Amino acid sequence: MSELVPGGNLPLPAGAVTVRVPGPFDVSALVTDEGGKVRGDADFVFYNQPGAPGAHLSGDTLTVDPRRLRAGASRVTVVVSPADPTTPLGRLPAPVLHVTDAGGRALARFAPPRPRQETVLLLAEIYRRGDGWKLRALGQGYADGLAGLARDFGVDVLDEPAGTASRTTPTGAASPTAPTRAGSASARPTPPPAPGHDTRPTPPTPTARPAQGATMHSPAPPGPDGFLPLVNSARAQAGSPPVVLDARLTTAAHAHASAMASAGRLGGEGPDGVSVHQRLAATGYAYVTVREHLVSGPRTAAEFVDYCLRTDQARRALYDRDVVHVGVAQVRGRDGDTYWTALWARPLGPGDLRRTADEVVDLTNRERARAGLRPLAVDAHLTSAAQAYSTDMAVRAFYSHTSPEGTQPWDRAAAAGSSRRTIGENIACGQRTPAEVVEGWMNSPGHRANILKPDFTHIGIGFAGGGPAGTYWTQLFGA
């Protein structure tokens, strides 16, 4: 069984699959085509309308048979909201998604970060890729109720006034009434991915990315009128140092904004299957920190910056003290909306890999100390294997404990020269900091068991930027 993280995906077997979210939640689903919109009322599956072609809801369980979906359907998005619409998600137990095949075999589990102000979460999407189907973990939330969800998917709720204002991460939870077609899509920042340990396919050649200095290689375009002064004014008020525009980040931002505009929908991955982080890696910019805003709706730089300051998650990217470069682009789509991509990054310097790894080791040993366990010593062979594997996952855009060639953690450790008899591995993708990744591992029983295993004596850490998730982490343990 795979333990998914936000952004993680999983190939699905042929036939029906079942997703279940136990607890005090309402589960619903939206069936959409390539444009990301529903075609009509029948594409919204919820407790008052529990059936659609290829999708059936029974209590907390949704069964999807991709072969039986309506013609043109390419995606089913699984949504969860509180059963009691007056209760915020943050006051409930964290929702956990369980995925099984037609025979009842467990395929995956997904536990997103605990919601805060969100009232509706997009937990996962089942989507067509070539001739097959995959499941992607999402963990996005809407803070403006069901209306936010409705506007993005082309559904309107009759008792909800229409609006076109920009908004924050998806969330929302009023009891849905009969949905009808609506028009506009609005702003939504992409969710930050979180740690995981077992899931996708694998990449080749393990070598660290070349270090990069903090200077720009070429002058960047000025960006939308007034963008940089507005950003640096906001950062100054928050006590953060100014950022400068970087041409490589701007190139990647423009490519991704154009892809979203052509598709008429927001997403970390464009219709060409390329993620925003892969576009950045293609420019040659190696980073140790990266954050992003993917937004539609704002018409000017002032509106965009104002939007980014409205919510905690979006503010964190704009205020991040570690970032030194920014790239931004706006592209008008055929649907009339303006699509924005902003990338905030810190280039990978000579000592950054070592500092990042040291911080992960320190945080890991603090957790062991709390449990009364001895600290782990850094092992050069385990470090080499872990770094090579993180780089491999980023370069080849896969995420799994098993490489495409079939190698396992102990195989990679031995190939790097390790003679440790017992090997354990934690991997994660999408976390922005060492604190985020260690916290995520500690919140997952399997990863936590590795960190707190008394027999382990040594550790190696790997980190690489790139790939669909943006960051890839490896923790390799030995005894």
Side-chain angles (χ1 to χ4, degrees):
M1 184 182 74
S2 295
E3 191 82 25
L4 295 177
V5 300
N9 60 57
L10 176 79
L12 294 176
V17 294
T18 295
V19 295
R20 177 173 176 261
V21 187
F25 307 107
D26 279 336
V27 178
S28 54
L30 293 141
V31 181
T32 57
D33 50 26
E34 287 295 341
K37 306 291 185 183
V38 298
R39 286 188 179 177
D41 298 3
D43 283 348
F44 192 8
V45 179
F46 62 108
Y47 60 86
N48 275 345
Q49 183 172 276
H56 180 75
L57 178 65
S58 177
D60 61 6
T61 301
L62 176 74
T63 301
V64 178
D65 188 342
R67 301 167 301 177
R68 301 182 183 277
L69 293 172
R70 63 154 172 84
S74 61
R75 193 174 305 261
V76 178
T77 303
V78 182
V79 181
V80 67
S81 57
D84 176 2
T86 64
T87 303
L89 280 173
R91 294 184 185 175
L92 298 176
V96 178
L97 181 78
H98 300 270
V99 186
T100 56
D101 64 14
R105 181 174 63 94
L107 298 176
R109 176 182 178 275
F110 173 49
R114 177 176 289 278
R116 296 182 182 178
Q117 79 274 24
E118 295 90 349
T119 51
V120 167
L121 283 180
L122 308 186
L123 275 185
E125 59 184 9
I126 296 169
Y127 64 101
R128 186 194 303 273
R129 178 50 59 90
D131 294 331
W133 289 77
K134 302 178 80 172
L135 181 139
R136 178 185 290 115
L138 296 176
Q140 298 176 195
Y142 286 88
D144 58 349
L146 187 63
L149 176 76
R151 280 190 296 266
D152 276 353
F153 285 86
V155 177
D156 197 9
V157 179
L158 296 181
D159 61 356
E160 189 75 24
T164 56
S166 305
R167 106 179 141 274
T168 89
T169 31
T171 123
S175 298
T177 58
T180 60
R181 291 300 302 277
S184 63
S186 211
R188 182 190 351 147
T190 50
H197 88 227
D198 197 330
T199 60
R200 281 166 268 189
T202 319
T205 65
T207 45
R209 290 179 179 276
Q212 244 174 274
T215 56
M216 293 183 291
H217 290 261
S218 58
D225 287 346
F227 171 79
L228 196 60
L230 287 166
V231 164
N232 282 332
S233 174
R235 286 175 63 87
Q237 292 178 34
S240 299
V243 292
V244 296
L245 287 164
D246 183 275
R248 293 158 296 172
L249 270 65
T250 300
T251 297
H254 188 271
H256 199 72
S258 298
M260 292 192 299
S262 68
R265 62 182 175 89
L266 296 171
E269 184 180 283
D272 54 1
V274 180
S275 76
V276 63
H277 303 106
Q278 288 171 307
R279 298 186 204 282
L280 179 53
T283 69
Y285 188 102
Y287 53 83
V288 68
T289 298
V290 65
R291 294 184 181 271
E292 64 284 330
H293 286 130
L294 308 181
V295 175
S296 69
R299 294 160 296 178
T300 66
E303 287 183 5
F304 175 76
V305 173
D306 178 63
Y307 165 75
C308 293
L309 293 173
R310 289 183 196 171
T311 65
D312 181 60
Q313 180 177 303
R315 272 195 303 271
R316 278 201 298 272
L318 195 150
Y319 288 163
D320 191 337
R321 296 180 61 86
D322 288 337
V323 303
V324 297
H325 291 155
V326 65
V328 64
Q330 57 177 143
V331 177
R332 190 170 181 83
R334 289 174 293 182
D335 56 4
D337 275 351
T338 302
Y339 292 82
W340 294 75
T341 298
L343 294 169
W344 314 79
R346 180 184 189 89
L348 181 64
D352 285 324
L353 279 179
R354 176 65 180 269
R355 283 190 293 270
T356 299
D358 286 350
E359 191 171 346
V360 174
V361 172
D362 180 61
L363 292 167
T364 299
N365 280 333
R366 288 187 203 178
E367 297 295 344
R368 289 179 64 87
R370 291 190 186 100
L373 300 172
R374 60 184 175 180
L376 302 172
V378 174
D379 179 279
H381 298 302
L382 296 179
T383 298
S384 176
Q387 181 58 47
Y389 198 57
S390 286
T391 303
D392 197 24
M393 288 191 289
V395 171
R396 288 204 282 175
F398 80 97
Y399 179 66
S400 174
H401 289 290
T402 304
S403 77
E405 294 75 30
T407 65
Q408 300 292 338
W410 41 90
D411 300 320
R412 297 187 288 272
S418 174
S419 58
R420 305 283 168 194
R421 289 177 294 176
T422 303
I423 296 293
E425 182 181 78
N426 287 344
I427 59 175
C429 65
Q431 295 74 24
R432 299 322 198 228
T433 65
E436 275 186 25
V437 75
V438 174
E439 180 184 10
W441 279 327
M442 289 299 293
N443 287 335
S444 168
H447 302 93
R448 180 187 179 93
N450 272 342
I451 289 174
L452 300 183
K453 185 171 181 175
D455 293 346
F456 285 142
T457 56
H458 290 77
I459 190 172
I461 302 297
F463 168 83
T471 57
Y472 292 79
W473 307 77
T474 301
Q475 231 180 4
L476 202 55
F477 304 91

